[in-house]
Coordinates of all heavy atoms in Angstrom, one line a residue:
M13 N 0.8 -1.2 0.0 CA 0.0 0.0 0.0 C 0.9 1.3 0.0 O 0.6 2.2 -0.7 CB -0.9 0.0 1.2 CG -1.8 1.2 1.4 SD -2.8 1.0 2.8 CE -3.5 2.6 2.9
F14 N 1.9 1.3 0.8 CA 2.8 2.4 0.9 C 4.0 2.4 0.0 O 4.9 3.2 0.2 CB 3.2 2.7 2.4 CG 2.0 3.0 3.2 CD1 1.5 2.1 4.1 CD2 1.4 4.2 3.1 CE1 0.4 2.4 4.9 CE2 0.3 4.5 3.9 CZ -0.2 3.6 4.8
T15 N 4.1 1.4 -0.8 CA 5.3 1.3 -1.7 C 5.1 2.2 -2.9 O 4.0 2.4 -3.4 CB 5.5 -0.2 -2.2 OG1 4.3 -0.5 -2.9 CG2 5.7 -1.1 -1.1
P16 N 6.2 2.9 -3.3 CA 6.1 3.8 -4.4 C 5.8 3.1 -5.7 O 6.3 2.0 -5.9 CB 7.4 4.5 -4.4 CG 8.4 3.6 -3.8 CD 7.6 2.8 -2.8
K17 N 5.1 3.8 -6.6 CA 4.8 3.2 -7.9 C 5.6 4.0 -8.9 O 5.4 5.2 -9.1 CB 3.3 3.3 -8.2 CG 2.5 2.5 -7.2 CD 1.0 2.5 -7.5 CE 0.2 1.6 -6.7 NZ 0.6 1.6 -5.3
Y18 N 6.6 3.3 -9.5 CA 7.5 4.0 -10.5 C 6.9 3.9 -11.9 O 6.2 2.9 -12.2 CB 8.9 3.4 -10.5 CG 9.5 3.5 -9.1 CD1 9.7 2.4 -8.3 CD2 10.0 4.8 -8.7 CE1 10.3 2.6 -7.0 CE2 10.6 4.9 -7.5 CZ 10.8 3.8 -6.7 OH 11.4 4.0 -5.5
P19 N 7.1 4.9 -12.7 CA 6.6 4.7 -14.1 C 7.4 3.7 -14.9 O 8.6 3.3 -14.5 CB 6.9 6.1 -14.7 CG 7.9 6.7 -13.9 CD 7.8 6.1 -12.5
P20 N 6.9 3.1 -15.9 CA 7.6 2.1 -16.7 C 8.8 2.7 -17.4 O 8.9 3.9 -17.6 CB 6.6 1.6 -17.7 CG 5.6 2.7 -17.8 CD 5.6 3.4 -16.5
Q21 N 9.8 1.8 -17.6 CA 11.0 2.3 -18.2 C 10.8 2.8 -19.7 O 9.9 2.3 -20.3 CB 12.0 1.1 -18.3 CG 12.5 0.7 -16.9 CD 13.3 1.8 -16.2 OE1 14.1 2.5 -16.9 NE2 13.2 1.9 -14.9
D22 N 11.6 3.7 -20.1 CA 11.5 4.2 -21.5 C 11.8 3.1 -22.5 O 12.9 2.5 -22.4 CB 12.4 5.4 -21.6 CG 12.2 6.2 -22.9 OD1 11.1 6.0 -23.5 OD2 13.0 7.0 -23.3
T23 N 10.9 2.9 -23.4 CA 11.2 1.9 -24.4 C 11.6 2.5 -25.8 O 11.5 1.8 -26.8 CB 9.9 1.1 -24.6 OG1 8.8 1.9 -25.0 CG2 9.6 0.3 -23.3
A24 N 11.9 3.8 -25.8 CA 12.3 4.3 -27.1 C 13.7 3.8 -27.5 O 14.5 3.5 -26.7 CB 12.4 5.9 -27.0
P25 N 13.9 3.6 -28.8 CA 15.2 3.1 -29.3 C 16.3 4.1 -29.0 O 16.1 5.3 -29.0 CB 15.0 2.9 -30.8 CG 13.9 3.8 -31.2 CD 13.0 3.9 -30.0
N26 N 17.5 3.5 -28.6 CA 18.6 4.4 -28.2 C 19.3 4.8 -29.5 O 19.8 4.0 -30.3 CB 19.6 3.6 -27.4 CG 20.6 4.5 -26.8 OD1 20.6 5.7 -26.9 ND2 21.6 3.9 -26.1
T27 N 19.4 6.1 -29.7 CA 20.0 6.7 -30.9 C 21.4 7.2 -30.6 O 21.6 7.6 -29.4 CB 19.2 7.8 -31.5 OG1 19.0 8.8 -30.6 CG2 17.8 7.3 -32.0
A28 N 22.2 7.3 -31.6 CA 23.6 7.9 -31.4 C 23.5 9.4 -31.1 O 22.6 10.0 -31.7 CB 24.4 7.6 -32.6
P29 N 24.4 9.9 -30.3 CA 24.3 11.3 -30.0 C 24.6 12.1 -31.3 O 25.4 11.7 -32.1 CB 25.4 11.6 -29.0 CG 26.3 10.4 -29.1 CD 25.4 9.2 -29.6
T30 N 23.9 13.2 -31.5 CA 24.1 14.0 -32.7 C 25.2 15.0 -32.5 O 25.5 15.5 -31.4 CB 22.8 14.8 -33.0 OG1 22.5 15.6 -31.9 CG2 21.6 13.9 -33.3
V31 N 25.9 15.3 -33.6 CA 27.0 16.3 -33.5 C 26.4 17.7 -33.8 O 25.7 17.9 -34.7 CB 28.1 15.9 -34.6 CG1 29.2 16.9 -34.6 CG2 28.6 14.5 -34.4
P32 N 26.8 18.6 -32.9 CA 26.2 20.0 -33.1 C 26.7 20.6 -34.4 O 27.9 20.4 -34.8 CB 26.6 20.8 -31.9 CG 27.8 20.0 -31.3 CD 27.6 18.6 -31.7
T33 N 25.9 21.3 -35.1 CA 26.3 22.0 -36.3 C 26.9 23.3 -36.0 O 26.7 23.9 -34.9 CB 25.0 22.2 -37.3 OG1 24.1 23.0 -36.5 CG2 24.4 20.8 -37.7
A34 N 27.6 23.8 -37.0 CA 28.3 25.1 -36.8 C 27.3 26.2 -36.8 O 26.3 26.2 -37.5 CB 29.3 25.3 -37.9
Y35 N 27.5 27.2 -35.9 CA 26.6 28.4 -35.8 C 26.9 29.4 -36.8 O 28.0 29.8 -37.0 CB 26.7 28.9 -34.4 CG 25.9 30.2 -34.2 CD1 24.5 30.2 -34.1 CD2 26.5 31.4 -34.1 CE1 23.8 31.3 -33.9 CE2 25.8 32.6 -33.9 CZ 24.4 32.5 -33.8 OH 23.7 33.7 -33.6
S36 N 25.8 29.8 -37.6 CA 26.0 30.9 -38.5 C 25.0 32.0 -38.2 O 23.8 31.8 -38.4 CB 25.8 30.4 -40.0 OG 24.5 29.8 -40.1
P37 N 25.5 33.1 -37.8 CA 24.6 34.2 -37.4 C 23.9 34.8 -38.6 O 24.5 34.9 -39.7 CB 25.4 35.2 -36.7 CG 26.8 35.0 -37.2 CD 26.9 33.5 -37.5
V38 N 22.6 35.2 -38.4 CA 21.9 35.8 -39.5 C 21.6 37.3 -39.1 O 21.1 37.5 -37.9 CB 20.5 35.1 -39.7 CG1 19.7 35.7 -40.8 CG2 20.8 33.6 -40.1
P39 N 21.8 38.2 -39.9 CA 21.6 39.6 -39.5 C 20.1 39.9 -39.3 O 19.3 39.3 -40.0 CB 22.1 40.5 -40.7 CG 22.2 39.5 -41.8 CD 22.4 38.2 -41.3
Y40 N 19.8 40.7 -38.3 CA 18.4 41.0 -38.0 C 17.8 42.1 -38.9 O 18.5 43.1 -39.2 CB 18.3 41.5 -36.5 CG 16.9 42.1 -36.2 CD1 15.9 41.2 -36.0 CD2 16.7 43.4 -36.0 CE1 14.6 41.7 -35.6 CE2 15.5 43.9 -35.7 CZ 14.4 43.0 -35.5 OH 13.2 43.5 -35.2
V41 N 16.7 41.8 -39.5 CA 16.0 42.7 -40.4 C 14.6 42.9 -39.8 O 13.8 42.0 -39.8 CB 15.9 42.2 -41.8 CG1 15.2 43.2 -42.7 CG2 17.3 41.9 -42.4
P42 N 14.3 44.2 -39.4 CA 12.9 44.4 -38.8 C 11.9 44.2 -39.8 O 12.1 44.5 -41.0 CB 13.0 45.8 -38.2 CG 14.1 46.4 -39.0 CD 15.1 45.4 -39.3
A43 N 10.7 43.7 -39.4 CA 9.6 43.5 -40.3 C 9.0 44.8 -40.8 O 8.6 44.9 -42.0 CB 8.6 42.6 -39.7
H44 N 8.9 45.8 -40.0 CA 8.3 47.1 -40.3 C 9.0 48.1 -39.5 O 9.6 47.9 -38.4 CB 6.8 47.1 -40.1 CG 6.4 46.9 -38.7 ND1 6.4 45.7 -38.0 CD2 6.1 47.8 -37.8 CE1 6.1 45.9 -36.8 NE2 5.8 47.1 -36.6
T45 N 8.9 49.3 -39.9 CA 9.5 50.5 -39.2 C 8.4 51.0 -38.2 O 7.3 51.0 -38.5 CB 9.9 51.6 -40.1 OG1 8.7 52.0 -40.9 CG2 11.0 51.2 -41.1
P46 N 8.8 51.3 -37.0 CA 7.9 51.7 -36.0 C 7.3 53.1 -36.3 O 8.0 53.9 -36.9 CB 8.7 51.8 -34.7 CG 10.1 51.9 -35.1 CD 10.2 51.2 -36.5
V47 N 6.1 53.3 -36.0 CA 5.4 54.6 -36.2 C 5.8 55.6 -35.1 O 5.8 55.2 -33.9 CB 3.9 54.4 -36.2 CG1 3.2 55.7 -36.4 CG2 3.5 53.4 -37.3
P48 N 6.2 56.8 -35.5 CA 6.6 57.7 -34.4 C 5.4 58.1 -33.6 O 4.3 58.3 -34.1 CB 7.2 58.9 -35.2 CG 6.6 58.8 -36.6 CD 6.4 57.3 -36.8
S49 N 5.7 58.3 -32.3 CA 4.6 58.7 -31.4 C 4.3 60.2 -31.5 O 5.2 60.9 -32.0 CB 4.9 58.3 -30.0 OG 6.1 59.0 -29.6
A50 N 3.1 60.6 -31.0 CA 2.8 62.0 -31.1 C 3.6 62.7 -30.1 O 4.0 62.2 -29.0 CB 1.3 62.1 -30.7
P51 N 4.0 63.9 -30.4 CA 4.8 64.7 -29.5 C 4.0 65.1 -28.2 O 2.8 65.3 -28.3 CB 5.2 66.0 -30.3 CG 4.2 66.1 -31.4 CD 3.8 64.6 -31.7
S52 N 4.7 65.1 -27.1 CA 4.1 65.3 -25.9 C 3.7 66.8 -25.6 O 3.0 67.1 -24.7 CB 4.9 64.8 -24.7 OG 6.1 65.6 -24.7
A53 N 4.2 67.7 -26.5 CA 3.9 69.1 -26.3 C 2.4 69.4 -26.6 O 1.9 70.4 -26.2 CB 4.8 69.9 -27.2
N54 N 1.7 68.5 -27.4 CA 0.3 68.8 -27.7 C -0.6 68.5 -26.5 O -1.8 69.0 -26.6 CB -0.1 67.8 -28.9 CG 0.6 68.2 -30.2 OD1 1.2 69.3 -30.3 ND2 0.6 67.3 -31.1
R55 N -0.2 67.8 -25.5 CA -1.0 67.5 -24.4 C -1.0 68.7 -23.4 O 0.0 69.3 -23.2 CB -0.6 66.3 -23.7 CG -0.8 65.0 -24.5 CD -0.3 63.8 -23.7 NE 1.1 63.7 -23.8 CZ 1.9 62.8 -23.3 NH1 1.3 61.9 -22.5 NH2 3.2 62.8 -23.4
P56 N -2.2 69.0 -22.9 CA -2.2 70.2 -22.0 C -1.6 69.7 -20.6 O -1.7 68.6 -20.2 CB -3.7 70.5 -21.8 CG -4.4 69.2 -22.2 CD -3.5 68.5 -23.2
A57 N -1.0 70.7 -20.0 CA -0.4 70.4 -18.6 C -1.5 70.4 -17.6 O -2.6 70.9 -17.8 CB 0.6 71.5 -18.3
V58 N -1.3 69.6 -16.5 CA -2.2 69.6 -15.4 C -2.2 70.9 -14.7 O -1.2 71.4 -14.3 CB -1.9 68.4 -14.5 CG1 -2.8 68.4 -13.3 CG2 -1.9 67.1 -15.2
Q59 N -3.4 71.5 -14.6 CA -3.5 72.8 -13.9 C -4.2 72.6 -12.6 O -5.3 72.0 -12.5 CB -4.2 73.8 -14.8 CG -3.5 74.1 -16.1 CD -4.3 75.0 -17.0 OE1 -5.4 75.4 -16.6 NE2 -3.7 75.4 -18.1
L60 N -3.6 73.1 -11.5 CA -4.2 73.0 -10.2 C -4.9 74.3 -9.9 O -4.2 75.3 -9.7 CB -3.1 72.7 -9.1 CG -2.5 71.3 -9.2 CD1 -1.4 71.2 -8.1 CD2 -3.6 70.2 -9.0
T61 N -6.2 74.3 -9.8 CA -6.9 75.4 -9.4 C -7.1 75.4 -7.9 O -6.8 74.4 -7.2 CB -8.3 75.5 -10.1 OG1 -9.0 74.3 -9.7 CG2 -8.1 75.5 -11.6
A62 N -7.7 76.4 -7.3 CA -8.0 76.5 -5.9 C -8.9 75.3 -5.5 O -8.7 74.7 -4.4 CB -8.5 77.8 -5.5
G63 N -9.9 75.1 -6.3 CA -10.9 74.0 -6.0 C -10.3 72.6 -6.0 O -10.5 71.8 -5.1
S64 N -9.5 72.4 -7.0 CA -8.9 71.1 -7.1 C -7.8 70.8 -6.0 O -7.7 69.7 -5.5 CB -8.2 70.9 -8.5 OG -7.2 71.8 -8.7
T65 N -7.1 71.9 -5.7 CA -6.1 71.8 -4.6 C -6.9 71.5 -3.3 O -6.4 70.6 -2.5 CB -5.3 73.1 -4.5 OG1 -4.7 73.3 -5.7 CG2 -4.3 72.9 -3.4
L66 N -8.0 72.2 -3.1 CA -8.7 71.9 -1.8 C -9.3 70.5 -1.8 O -9.3 69.9 -0.8 CB -9.9 73.0 -1.8 CG -10.7 72.9 -0.5 CD1 -9.9 73.3 0.7 CD2 -11.9 73.9 -0.6
A67 N -9.7 70.0 -3.0 CA -10.2 68.7 -3.0 C -9.1 67.6 -2.8 O -9.4 66.6 -2.1 CB -10.9 68.4 -4.4
M68 N -7.9 67.9 -3.3 CA -6.8 67.0 -3.0 C -6.5 67.0 -1.5 O -6.2 65.9 -0.9 CB -5.6 67.4 -3.9 CG -5.8 67.0 -5.3 SD -4.4 67.5 -6.3 CE -3.0 66.7 -5.5
V69 N -6.4 68.2 -0.9 CA -6.1 68.2 0.5 C -7.2 67.5 1.4 O -6.9 66.8 2.3 CB -5.9 69.7 0.9 CG1 -5.9 69.8 2.5 CG2 -4.7 70.3 0.3
A70 N -8.4 67.7 1.0 CA -9.5 67.1 1.7 C -9.5 65.6 1.6 O -9.7 64.8 2.5 CB -10.9 67.6 1.3
G71 N -9.2 65.1 0.3 CA -9.1 63.7 0.1 C -7.9 63.1 0.9 O -8.0 62.0 1.5
G72 N -6.8 63.8 0.9 CA -5.6 63.3 1.7 C -5.9 63.2 3.2 O -5.5 62.3 3.9
G73 N -6.6 64.3 3.6 CA -7.0 64.3 5.1 C -7.9 63.1 5.4 O -7.8 62.5 6.5
A74 N -8.9 62.9 4.5 CA -9.8 61.7 4.7 C -9.1 60.4 4.8 O -9.3 59.6 5.6 CB -10.9 61.7 3.6
V75 N -8.1 60.2 3.9 CA -7.3 59.0 3.9 C -6.5 58.9 5.2 O -6.5 57.8 5.8 CB -6.4 59.0 2.6 CG1 -5.3 57.9 2.8 CG2 -7.2 58.8 1.4
V76 N -5.9 59.9 5.6 CA -5.2 59.9 6.9 C -6.1 59.5 8.0 O -5.8 58.7 8.9 CB -4.5 61.2 7.1 CG1 -4.0 61.3 8.6 CG2 -3.3 61.4 6.2
L77 N -7.3 60.1 8.1 CA -8.2 59.8 9.2 C -8.7 58.3 9.1 O -8.8 57.7 10.2 CB -9.4 60.7 9.1 CG -9.2 62.2 9.5 CD1 -10.4 63.0 9.3 CD2 -8.7 62.3 10.9
V78 N -9.0 57.8 7.9 CA -9.4 56.4 7.8 C -8.3 55.5 8.2 O -8.5 54.5 9.0 CB -9.9 56.1 6.4 CG1 -10.1 54.6 6.2 CG2 -11.2 56.9 6.1
V79 N -7.1 55.7 7.7 CA -6.0 54.8 8.1 C -5.7 54.9 9.6 O -5.4 53.9 10.3 CB -4.7 55.2 7.3 CG1 -3.5 54.5 7.8 CG2 -4.9 54.8 5.8
G80 N -5.8 56.1 10.2 CA -5.6 56.3 11.6 C -6.6 55.5 12.4 O -6.3 54.9 13.4
A81 N -7.9 55.6 12.0 CA -9.0 54.9 12.7 C -8.7 53.4 12.6 O -8.9 52.7 13.6 CB -10.3 55.2 12.1
V82 N -8.3 52.9 11.5 CA -8.0 51.4 11.4 C -6.9 51.0 12.3 O -7.0 50.0 13.0 CB -7.8 51.1 9.9 CG1 -7.2 49.7 9.8 CG2 -9.0 51.2 9.0
L83 N -5.8 51.8 12.3 CA -4.7 51.4 13.1 C -5.0 51.5 14.6 O -4.6 50.7 15.4 CB -3.5 52.4 12.8 CG -2.9 52.2 11.4 CD1 -1.8 53.2 11.2 CD2 -2.3 50.7 11.3
V84 N -5.8 52.5 15.0 CA -6.2 52.6 16.4 C -7.1 51.5 16.8 O -7.0 50.9 17.9 CB -6.9 54.0 16.7 CG1 -7.6 54.0 18.0 CG2 -5.8 55.1 16.6
S85 N -8.0 51.1 15.9 CA -8.9 49.9 16.3 C -8.1 48.6 16.4 O -8.4 47.8 17.2 CB -10.0 49.8 15.2 OG -9.4 49.5 14.0
M86 N -7.1 48.5 15.6 CA -6.2 47.3 15.7 C -5.4 47.3 17.0 O -5.3 46.3 17.7 CB -5.3 47.2 14.5 CG -6.0 46.8 13.2 SD -4.9 47.0 11.8 CE -3.7 45.8 12.1
L87 N -4.9 48.5 17.4 CA -4.2 48.6 18.6 C -5.2 48.3 19.8 O -4.8 47.7 20.8 CB -3.6 50.0 18.8 CG -2.8 50.3 20.0 CD1 -1.6 49.4 20.1 CD2 -2.4 51.8 20.1
L88 N -6.4 48.8 19.7 CA -7.4 48.5 20.8 C -7.7 47.1 20.9 O -7.8 46.5 22.0 CB -8.7 49.3 20.5 CG -9.8 49.2 21.5 CD1 -9.3 49.8 22.9 CD2 -11.0 50.0 21.1
A89 N -7.8 46.4 19.8 CA -8.1 44.9 19.8 C -6.9 44.2 20.5 O -7.2 43.3 21.2 CB -8.3 44.4 18.4
V90 N -5.7 44.6 20.2 CA -4.5 43.9 20.8 C -4.5 44.2 22.3 O -4.3 43.3 23.1 CB -3.2 44.4 20.2 CG1 -2.0 44.0 21.0 CG2 -3.1 43.9 18.7
A91 N -4.9 45.5 22.7 CA -4.9 45.8 24.1 C -6.0 45.0 24.9 O -5.8 44.5 26.0 CB -5.1 47.3 24.3
V92 N -7.2 44.9 24.3 CA -8.3 44.1 24.9 C -7.9 42.7 25.1 O -8.1 42.0 26.1 CB -9.6 44.3 24.1 CG1 -10.6 43.3 24.5 CG2 -10.1 45.7 24.3
T93 N -7.2 42.1 24.0 CA -6.8 40.7 24.1 C -5.8 40.5 25.2 O -5.8 39.6 26.0 CB -6.2 40.3 22.7 OG1 -7.2 40.5 21.7 CG2 -5.8 38.8 22.7
A94 N -4.8 41.5 25.3 CA -3.8 41.3 26.3 C -4.4 41.4 27.7 O -4.0 40.7 28.6 CB -2.7 42.4 26.1
A95 N -5.4 42.3 27.9 CA -6.0 42.5 29.2 C -6.8 41.2 29.5 O -6.7 40.8 30.7 CB -6.9 43.7 29.2
S96 N -7.5 40.6 28.6 CA -8.2 39.4 28.9 C -7.3 38.2 29.2 O -7.6 37.4 30.1 CB -9.1 39.0 27.7 OG -8.4 38.7 26.6
V97 N -6.2 38.1 28.5 CA -5.2 37.1 28.9 C -4.6 37.3 30.3 O -4.4 36.4 31.0 CB -4.1 37.0 27.8 CG1 -2.9 36.2 28.2 CG2 -4.6 36.5 26.5
A98 N -4.4 38.6 30.6 CA -3.8 38.9 32.0 C -4.9 38.5 33.0 O -4.5 37.9 34.1 CB -3.5 40.3 32.1
V99 N -6.1 38.8 32.8 CA -7.2 38.4 33.8 C -7.3 36.9 33.9 O -7.4 36.4 35.0 CB -8.5 39.0 33.4 CG1 -9.7 38.4 34.2 CG2 -8.5 40.5 33.5
C100 N -7.2 36.2 32.8 CA -7.2 34.7 32.8 C -6.0 34.2 33.6 O -6.2 33.2 34.4 CB -7.2 34.1 31.4 SG -8.8 34.4 30.6
A101 N -4.8 34.8 33.4 CA -3.7 34.3 34.2 C -3.8 34.5 35.7 O -3.5 33.7 36.5 CB -2.4 35.1 33.6
V102 N -4.4 35.7 36.1 CA -4.6 36.0 37.5 C -5.6 35.0 38.1 O -5.4 34.5 39.2 CB -5.0 37.4 37.7 CG1 -5.5 37.7 39.1 CG2 -3.9 38.4 37.3
V103 N -6.7 34.7 37.4 CA -7.7 33.8 37.9 C -7.1 32.4 38.0 O -7.3 31.7 39.0 CB -8.9 33.8 36.9 CG1 -9.9 32.6 37.3 CG2 -9.6 35.1 37.0
L104 N -6.4 31.9 37.0 CA -5.7 30.6 37.1 C -4.7 30.5 38.2 O -4.6 29.5 38.9 CB -5.1 30.3 35.7 CG -6.0 29.8 34.6 CD1 -5.2 29.7 33.3 CD2 -6.7 28.5 35.0
R105 N -4.0 31.6 38.4 CA -3.0 31.6 39.5 C -3.7 31.5 40.8 O -3.2 30.7 41.7 CB -2.2 32.9 39.4 CG -1.1 33.0 40.4 CD -0.3 34.2 40.1 NE 0.7 34.4 41.2 CZ 1.5 35.5 41.3 NH1 1.3 36.5 40.5 NH2 2.4 35.5 42.3
S106 N -4.8 32.2 41.0 CA -5.5 32.1 42.3 C -6.1 30.8 42.5 O -6.1 30.2 43.6 CB -6.5 33.2 42.4 OG -7.5 33.0 41.4
I107 N -6.6 30.2 41.4 CA -7.2 28.8 41.6 C -6.2 27.8 41.9 O -6.3 27.0 42.8 CB -7.9 28.4 40.2 CG1 -9.2 29.3 40.1 CG2 -8.3 27.0 40.2 CD1 -9.9 29.1 38.7
L108 N -5.0 27.9 41.3 CA -3.9 26.9 41.6 C -3.4 27.1 42.9 O -2.9 26.2 43.6 CB -2.8 27.0 40.5 CG -3.2 26.6 39.1 CD1 -2.1 26.8 38.1 CD2 -3.6 25.1 39.1
K109 N -3.3 28.4 43.4 CA -2.8 28.7 44.7 C -3.7 28.1 45.8 O -3.3 27.6 46.8 CB -2.6 30.2 44.9 CG -1.8 30.6 46.1 CD -1.6 32.1 46.1 CE -0.7 32.5 47.2 NZ -0.5 34.0 47.2
E110 N -5.0 28.2 45.6 CA -6.0 27.7 46.6 C -5.9 26.1 46.6 O -6.1 25.5 47.7 CB -7.4 28.1 46.2 CG -7.7 29.5 46.4 CD -9.1 29.9 45.9 OE1 -9.8 29.0 45.5 OE2 -9.4 31.1 46.0
N111 N -5.6 25.5 45.5 CA -5.6 24.0 45.5 C -4.3 23.5 46.3 O -4.4 22.4 46.8 CB -5.6 23.5 44.1 CG -6.9 23.6 43.4 OD1 -7.9 23.8 44.1 ND2 -6.9 23.5 42.1
K112 N -3.3 24.2 46.3 CA -2.0 23.8 47.0 C -2.2 23.9 48.5 O -1.6 23.2 49.2 CB -0.8 24.6 46.5 CG -0.4 24.3 45.1 CD 0.9 25.0 44.8 CE 1.4 24.6 43.4 NZ 2.6 25.3 43.0
A113 N -2.9 24.9 48.9 CA -3.0 25.2 50.4 C -3.9 24.2 51.1 O -4.4 23.2 50.8 CB -3.6 26.6 50.6

């Protein structure tokens, strides 16, 4: 049941090793010429107005508040867990101390 099952032996005929042929490099010829891209000067630059700057600052502030709330809640979860483990340890210690006496 636990013995390994090996695949059957290869039954292909044994051929003589082939001799490698001499390498002859062929020069690279591209199939087509690439199309030049549009110049970047035609695109308008990003303009920051007072409203867009205010929106970016408000969005960044919201992200900071959300990330802060998540981190504080994780820290609170760790603190509650540590406190409950400490209470369990004190209760177990008092139970064990009473049994010895």
